[in-house]
Amino acid sequence: MTNSNSSLDIAAGLKEALNKGVTEQVSKLTAMDGFYKNEAVKILMPEELAKVDKTLRKMGMSKLADEGILALNRAAEDAVKEATPIFVSAIKNITITDAKGILLGNDNAATVYLQSATTTSLYGKFNPVVQQSIGKVGADVIWTKIIKQYNTIPFVAKVNPDLTDYVTNKALDGVFKMITVEEKNIRTKFSSRTSDLLK
């Protein structure tokens, strides 16, 4: 077998492994509770709203605060459905040189490659979908209520967070976190290598 043939095999094997792994991880995130019940990626209150969360809970409005968090996670679960085609396209474009760099690189070299190849397109695709999802899952209504309620409390600094941007970035973080996990599996577990080409 020539060197270029084995290089082609390496690149094809890597693409197959990434395609399988990424598709699997992304579909886990899009399932009901894919974000909400996964502690590694669960979206919590934005940092600047930690005080909102604390104040609402102190005032006996824990249910409203919990609804707000659930709604953010539901919006992310809905939006991530847009990710797979973007990843598939990025994986398809991996060159032999890229493949060698990924295989000889750190444990998260493929994730880093995909991040640099997809973040801009993913953000562009996710942002409008997150905005739509926020409406679809009722997060906009819940959050309007939360913000209104909080802003009526005397002596607090008024808040008006950009939830779409926040959920979009958190959804991206979650996707790449799960891809890192999958990449480790592909690299370390023989059982993750499901075809002759991968073996």
Side-chain angles (χ1 to χ4, degrees), residues 2-161:
T2 67
N3 198 30
S4 90
N5 274 348
S6 65
S7 293
L8 279 171
D9 281 351
I10 287 167
L14 178 70
K15 288 180 184 189
E16 187 184 321
L18 284 175
N19 230 330
K20 174 189 170 286
V22 165
T23 305
E24 219 169 80
Q25 290 302 335
V26 170
S27 68
K28 278 182 197 169
L29 290 174
T30 62
M32 169 84 87
D33 292 331
F35 272 84
Y36 188 65
K37 287 197 175 159
N38 178 343
E39 287 309 315
V41 296
K42 183 177 180 177
I43 300 173
L44 302 171
M45 285 265 184
E47 216 171 286
E48 71 273 23
L49 294 189
K51 58 181 184 284
V52 175
D53 186 63
K54 209 183 264 179
T55 308
L56 290 177
R57 291 182 194 283
K58 251 194 250 169
M59 295 175 72
M61 287 185 257
S62 295
K63 190 177 181 294
L64 184 59
D66 290 339
E67 273 174 26
I69 291 169
L70 176 64
L72 296 182
N73 285 276
R74 288 288 179 263
E77 288 156 10
D78 193 54
V80 169
K81 292 175 183 140
E82 300 292 318
T84 305
I86 293 169
F87 282 122
V88 168
S89 161
I91 291 165
K92 225 180 260 174
N93 292 327
I94 291 175
T95 65
I96 290 172
T97 312
D98 293 331
K100 282 181 176 168
I102 288 167
L103 288 168
L104 300 171
N106 294 333
D107 275 358
N108 67 340
T111 308
V112 169
Y113 172 85
L114 287 173
Q115 252 172 320
S116 67
T118 62
T119 297
T120 307
S121 340
L122 283 172
Y123 188 95
K125 196 93 165 144
F126 273 24
N127 201 268
V129 178
V130 166
Q131 197 159 17
Q132 221 179 346
S133 301
I134 282 174
K136 191 163 124 188
V137 301
D140 52 349
V141 176
I142 293 164
W143 276 89
T144 302
K145 196 172 166 187
I146 287 173
I147 300 306
K148 238 186 223 160
Q149 194 87 50
Y150 181 78
N151 286 344
T152 59
I153 299 166
F155 312 116
V156 299
K158 305 281 179 260
V159 292
N160 187 22

